[in-house]
Amino acid sequence: RALWGSAHVCAYGGRMDLAYPQALRAAEIAQELGDVWTEARAYDVIGFGQSASQPELAKETLEKCVALGKSINDDWAMSHGKKMTTAMYMFSHDHKGAAQPISDLVACSKQFDSRYLLAWAKALTGYFARDCGEFEAAEKALQLSIESSNLVGDPATGGFAMAWSAGLKADMGQVDVARKELQNLMASASITGTFLAVPEAMFILGSIEVAEGNHEQALQLVGPQITGLRNAGIPSWSEQLGLVAAAAHIALGNFAEADVLLNEAEQRTAPLNNPLINGLLHFTRGQHALARNDTGEAEMHLYKAVAVQLTGGLKPGLIRTAESIAGILVRKAKFSDAARVLAVVDRERADMPLKRGKMELSEHSALTEKVEQALDPDTLADIRASTARTSLDEIVESISRMRGQRARPLTGWTSLTPTENRVVTLVTEGLSNPQIAARMFIARGTVKIHISHIFDKLDVKSRTQLATKAITDGFGDLDP
């Protein structure tokens, strides 16, 4: 039990390298003695340690913790095991997988009237909501977590919630407020017990400084901490900082240093399959290639980032990647396509709202200026109007089709997908939506969506205009 207690304290002190072996030894002795109480609690720490680098093992270990806790009516082991299960999903940033465990933890918090458990459940809810672009929900959840943490005196959870809340403020343009809150949190960590949240706070603050163009400052902040976190056995936190450092090195022209950090991050986080890190890794590799004027490599990595972020539901990251791809389109003189991407990105940022840092704002202004110089005002206005109903997912899907020799543009007949071409053919034959749905074995609502997309791409307002345009342009003779 002394070994378990020591392991528990070391884990909350951020020393998983010390906690993990002590917890393993505690579990071993507990099994020999038949001490189920200690065995269950040792699995709690072991599972926490495995969460940081071996999530599959962690899941199995924490299931043992919860099961043993239930078997002896140990409410702490059962509920804390469920809490650590949600932490496992945090380290692998699996917001879909985390949904039910978080819901279970909320149920536990109600069962035991525990604001401690509620604080963590709400902190993670806010964490995932922020990275999914649901800023209003994130703000509400994180505030409730902070209030609950203060009420029960839980500085560890409170530290995470405060760090993520500060990051949210920076996302919404309150950079100075966010910077001050993060600096205060880190300065008081050793006194208040918020040490576990410091790597997250550093990652957020380092990202802010990179976005604001303070690259040397970002390196001074995160650089000295990377090795320590690696030695502590927490690769998600160490490599988040590594990616911040890589971005700063790229901006400073230190390409070799950035390459080393990117390779380390890729190797160390591979077992986690973390979409937040993987998306950021490919995005940063794309920036690395762009800085070296290697457009082909940049394009490859940015489209990989798109695939990861789209699947992971990481909307703010997806917006930033799409905006970077717009820059590549401008380099290729595909100004109309770039204008469509930027129009959707600008609208999505405003709706969220996701503000640009100084560096992003400078790059965006330069892109917008080039697009406005290349296109006449009427064309640009038409493009912006035609994207009014285009979602971020749709524009990303469109730009993802533009790679290779048979790249598909965003407007005109050649922008249509094979399915959309089939729909046009059936519309020109006079078939109704229900008839098209029956012919193509798809839902009526899906037909309606396809027709809406076709209208936008071809700049027509009705089925009659579509049929007329198809005849006038010789649609049947076009090579799709």
Side-chain angles (χ1 to χ4, degrees), residues 450-464:
H450 281 311
I451 290 177
S452 174
H453 291 172
I454 292 165
F455 283 2
D456 286 340
K457 291 179 179 181
L458 300 179
D459 193 24
V460 297
K461 308 297 183 184
S462 66
R463 298 167 73 94
T464 301

Side-chain angles (χ1 to χ4, degrees), residues 205-229:
L205 182 56
S207 300
I208 289 172
E209 300 304 353
V210 168
E212 292 296 299
N214 303 321
H215 304 114
E216 291 283 4
Q217 192 170 335
L219 284 175
Q220 291 171 8
L221 173 69
V222 305
Q225 309 303 321
I226 296 171
T227 300
L229 285 169

Side-chain angles (χ1 to χ4, degrees), residues 170-403:
D171 291 338
M172 297 190 291
Q174 301 174 49
V175 173
D176 290 339
V177 173
R179 181 186 285 119
K180 185 174 182 179
E181 289 183 1
L182 290 164
Q183 289 171 341
N184 289 341
L185 187 153
M186 290 187 296
S188 63
S190 61
I191 300 171
T192 60
T194 58
F195 179 84
L196 272 183
V198 168
E200 285 287 313
M202 284 187 173
F203 170 59
I204 295 166
L205 182 56
S207 300
I208 289 172
E209 300 304 353
V210 168
E212 292 296 299
N214 303 321
H215 304 114
E216 291 283 4
Q217 192 170 335
L219 284 175
Q220 291 171 8
L221 173 69
V222 305
Q225 309 303 321
I226 296 171
T227 300
L229 285 169
R230 286 173 177 170
N231 292 338
I234 313 178
S236 60
W237 287 344
S238 65
E239 303 320 307
Q240 281 185 163
L241 298 189
L243 291 174
V244 170
H249 277 303
I250 291 166
L252 294 169
N254 304 328
F255 299 143
E257 291 87 341
D259 199 43
V260 170
L261 288 163
L262 290 168
N263 290 337
E264 286 278 3
E266 185 170 5
Q267 293 168 10
R268 291 176 181 274
T269 61
L272 295 175
N273 196 27
N274 182 315
L276 180 71
I277 292 176
N278 290 344
L280 185 57
L281 173 66
H282 285 300
F283 176 81
T284 309
R285 284 198 183 279
Q287 303 312 302
H288 190 276
L290 283 174
R292 294 181 283 106
N293 292 315
D294 189 338
T295 303
E297 183 182 336
E299 194 173 24
M300 177 187 70
H301 284 296
L302 290 174
Y303 280 108
K304 285 184 178 180
V306 161
V308 172
Q309 292 162 341
L310 188 61
T311 303
L314 302 170
K315 199 169 183 180
L318 191 59
I319 285 173
R320 293 185 175 103
T321 304
E323 196 159 354
S324 192
I325 289 174
I328 289 179
L329 294 173
V330 167
R331 289 189 182 204
K332 291 184 171 184
K334 296 183 177 182
F335 297 107
S336 295
D337 290 339
R340 284 176 61 84
V341 174
L342 289 173
V344 173
V345 163
D346 288 346
R347 189 194 68 234
E348 293 283 350
R349 277 186 177 271
D351 289 346
M352 202 168 289
L354 177 64
K355 303 296 183 181
R356 294 180 176 89
K358 288 181 182 178
M359 294 291 291
E360 291 176 324
L361 190 58
S362 175
E363 292 167 1
H364 176 262
S365 298
L367 279 181
T368 302
E369 183 178 354
K370 289 177 181 178
V371 168
E372 290 176 345
Q373 288 175 346
L375 302 174
D376 64 79
D378 289 341
T379 299
L380 195 56
D382 288 344
I383 288 172
R384 287 170 176 167
S386 70
T387 60
R389 293 185 296 173
T390 305
S391 70
L392 179 63
D393 289 2
E394 289 170 337
I395 202 70
V396 164
E397 181 184 352
S398 296
I399 62 178
S400 295
R401 292 200 306 263
M402 292 190 295
R403 300 184 65 199

Side-chain angles (χ1 to χ4, degrees), residues 98-116:
Q100 188 58 52
I102 290 175
S103 178
D104 292 343
L105 191 60
V106 171
C108 269
S109 74
K110 292 178 179 178
Q111 178 184 351
F112 301 118
D113 192 23
S114 172
R115 293 292 288 271
Y116 165 76

Side-chain angles (χ1 to χ4, degrees), residues 119-135:
W120 178 250
K122 291 301 178 181
L124 271 194
T125 298
Y127 169 71
F128 286 121
R130 177 195 168 215
D131 288 334
C132 289
E134 299 166 2
F135 285 1

